[in-house]
Amino acid sequence: MENNKVQIFDTTLRDGEQVPGCKLDTNQKLIIAERLDLLGVDVIEAGFPISSPGDFTSVNEIAKIVKNATVCGLTRAVKKDIEVAAEALKHAVKPRIHTGIGTSESHIKYKFKSTQEEVVRRAKEAVSYAKNFVDDVEFYAEDAGRTDNAFLAKICEEAIKSGATVLNIPDTTGYCLPEEYGAKIKYLKENVKDIEKAIISCHCHNDLGLATANSIAGAINGARQIECTINGIGERAGNTALEEVVMILKQHPHLNLHTDINSKLLYDTSIMVREKMGMFVQPNKAIVGANAFAHSSGIHQDGVIKNRETYEIIDPEEVGVTESAIVLTARSGRAALAYRAKNVGYELTKVQLDLAYDIFLQYADRQKEVVNEDIHTIMKEVNKTSKIA
Ligand code: KIV
Ligand code: ZN
């Protein structure tokens, strides 16, 4: 495999969909899966087949229609889960079973009331069992973010010996700092025997707002798969946002890492997911938020009108947004008003602009935003005043 490609593993339909309020029916999931395939993701985690008959059907139907991406189903380290996932994935061109177990002290002690030895035994058994059904088996060490590195290396080594093709290192609770998470990946690269036989995957949650930073730190330190969701939806504060990692790698070519995502489809995909899930996206969300390419202060607007790159590091067209927005508010200046007036057909002289700007400020102080309709009304007032004068 090409060493500077980072595979994109999309879990919108699994980790994203398990969020309260985000539930989708099979038809909606099929539409999203088709779109993800078009977007260019490498892996679609379609669901957790044993969790419900509905999820089984969705994974099964998605497996039938996806043409390019690997289709993956989640399981616990439980034989029945693995059998059901294999059955759900049987029509996939490229099926993957994603199996694993909690590895941190708190998972082993409190969730399983078990021991490290027993957890290693179950991990090996699950991976070996999954290999009876598919070649491509991803092993996850749940709560790897809080797992002791030496034990994590041991269980990863055993997973590789059992046939794992991908090692998922989830920061399940979103606890790690980027340096720490990056160092964890580096430690695994340096201490797991035969690590080159598997791809290391980052699966980061956003409890401290660090999911994207941690995933990038992981990739810089040798991970070659990032697990993420559209709009960053997912358990609690969410998962790593797909659109963020894709654009970070694109905007920083010196990292020498890339994905195969068609970034021009990012915005439309974001809209599709928010509409289907009924999940609102904050306006200041990076890349796909309503304000991501909107400029409202006079100083910024003046800069952007003169040269877009003054205040924009991404060309909006790169992510499928038609153009930057110059929003008219009480903080806007004359340059912005002249620009917006020109867009709706008024080429203003200096005198007209001065007059229009005074009227505009009265509007802007009364309302949150001055819209095109207001500009036409302002221009009528300007023309009246000019005639009287
Ligand atoms: O966050 C997590 O640890 C997970 C695993 C099940 C992969 O979602
Ligand atoms: Zn997760």
Side-chain angles (χ1 to χ4, degrees):
M1 204 198 58
E2 214 192 313
N3 195 36
N4 55 359
K5 172 172 168 186
V6 177
Q7 302 208 7
I8 294 295
F9 175 115
D10 181 278
T11 184
T12 304
L13 299 175
R14 199 280 296 171
D15 219 332
E17 201 257 355
Q18 71 196 44
V19 170
C22 283
K23 174 95 189 69
L24 299 172
D25 62 30
T26 298
N27 278 337
Q28 291 169 318
K29 285 190 192 174
L30 284 166
I31 294 169
I32 293 180
E34 256 183 335
R35 165 48 72 113
L36 293 171
D37 206 23
L38 191 67
L39 183 65
V41 308
D42 299 279
V43 185
I44 296 173
E45 186 163 51
F48 182 9
I50 199 150
S51 65
S52 76
D55 219 34
F56 177 92
T57 306
S58 297
V59 176
N60 197 240
E61 295 300 322
I62 290 169
K64 288 180 193 160
I65 60 140
V66 168
K67 293 193 177 70
N68 306 304
T70 293
V71 180
C72 174
L74 184 77
T75 81
R76 294 165 296 183
V78 172
K79 283 190 172 171
K80 186 72 188 159
D81 284 29
I82 293 168
E83 287 160 14
V84 172
E87 179 63 21
L89 292 166
K90 71 179 179 200
H91 299 292
V93 181
K94 291 187 262 176
R96 176 182 294 177
I97 292 179
H98 188 191
T99 189
I101 191 160
T103 53
S104 64
E105 201 187 328
S106 81
H107 278 234
I108 295 176
K109 220 162 148 180
Y110 303 112
K111 197 164 107 175
F112 304 125
K113 300 188 177 28
S114 186
T115 60
Q116 288 189 340
E117 292 67 36
E118 176 58 12
V119 163
V120 171
R121 190 197 64 72
R122 284 187 61 190
K124 282 163 59 178
E125 186 181 71
V127 174
S128 308
Y129 194 61
K131 285 297 265 193
N132 293 322
F133 302 97
V134 292
D135 289 335
D136 191 5
V137 176
E138 174 167 339
F139 170 72
Y140 65 83
E142 196 182 2
D143 206 12
R146 293 185 300 171
T147 299
D148 163 65
N149 283 350
F151 178 62
L152 189 59
K154 180 176 161 52
I155 201 162
C156 285
E157 202 164 297
E158 293 300 333
I160 292 176
K161 271 196 226 156
S162 305
T165 45
V166 181
L167 297 173
N168 179 9
I169 310 301
D171 184 23
T172 305
T173 57
Y175 174 74
C176 287
L177 294 171
E179 252 190 10
E180 194 184 352
Y181 188 76
K184 196 174 271 292
I185 302 299
K186 188 165 187 276
Y187 181 90
L188 296 176
K189 289 284 289 179
E190 289 170 355
N191 291 281
V192 174
K193 186 159 174 284
D194 288 335
I195 190 68
E196 65 291 343
K197 290 188 176 162
I199 293 171
I200 300 183
S201 183
C202 307
H203 178 113
C204 298
H205 279 268
N206 205 32
D207 300 66
L208 291 171
L210 291 171
T212 296
N214 284 342
S215 298
I216 296 294
I220 289 171
N221 283 282
R224 286 295 174 269
Q225 180 178 277
I226 293 179
E227 308 200 359
C228 44
T229 59
I230 302 293
N231 301 333
I233 57 163
E235 281 281 346
R236 306 181 307 281
N239 287 63
T240 301
L242 182 149
E243 59 277 7
E244 293 174 11
V245 288
V246 167
M247 291 314 292
I248 288 169
L249 297 184
K250 202 161 183 179
Q251 295 305 115
H252 288 279
H254 63 279
L255 293 177
N256 201 22
L257 295 170
H258 72 92
T259 71
D260 281 350
I261 298 294
N262 176 357
S263 66
K264 296 207 158 94
L265 297 179
L266 285 172
Y267 185 66
D268 275 1
T269 309
S270 163
I271 299 284
M272 174 191 271
V273 168
R274 59 185 104 159
E275 284 174 354
K276 296 256 171 289
M277 289 192 164
M279 188 72 164
F280 164 83
V281 164
Q282 72 200 58
N284 57 327
K285 165 81 185 62
I287 320 292
V288 293
N291 292 347
F293 297 99
H295 306 274
S296 56
S297 93
I299 296 170
H300 289 210
Q301 290 174 328
D302 186 45
V304 169
I305 290 166
K306 286 176 177 147
N307 180 353
R308 192 191 55 74
E309 287 179 19
T310 315
Y311 286 99
E312 270 181 6
I313 57 159
I314 301 172
D315 180 344
E317 285 184 10
E318 276 297 305
V319 299
V321 173
T322 34
E323 59 179 354
S324 323
I326 299 292
V327 182
L328 293 177
T329 71
R331 302 294 151 260
S332 300
R334 283 175 171 71
L337 179 61
Y339 173 86
R340 285 284 303 273
K342 190 173 174 194
N343 279 356
V344 290
Y346 304 99
E347 192 85 53
L348 304 184
T349 63
K350 164 127 188 21
V351 176
Q352 283 173 320
L353 180 57
D354 284 343
L355 272 173
Y357 191 66
D358 285 344
I359 305 167
F360 158 78
L361 283 181
Q362 293 165 26
Y363 276 69
D365 269 341
R366 280 198 306 265
Q367 54 201 59
K368 278 191 197 297
E369 192 182 328
V370 174
V371 298
N372 287 345
E373 228 176 30
D374 300 320
I375 297 176
H376 292 301
T377 319
I378 291 168
M379 288 314 298
K380 276 188 197 138
E381 290 187 43
V382 169
N383 286 337
K384 244 194 272 161
T385 319
S386 311
K387 274 183 200 139
I388 295 163

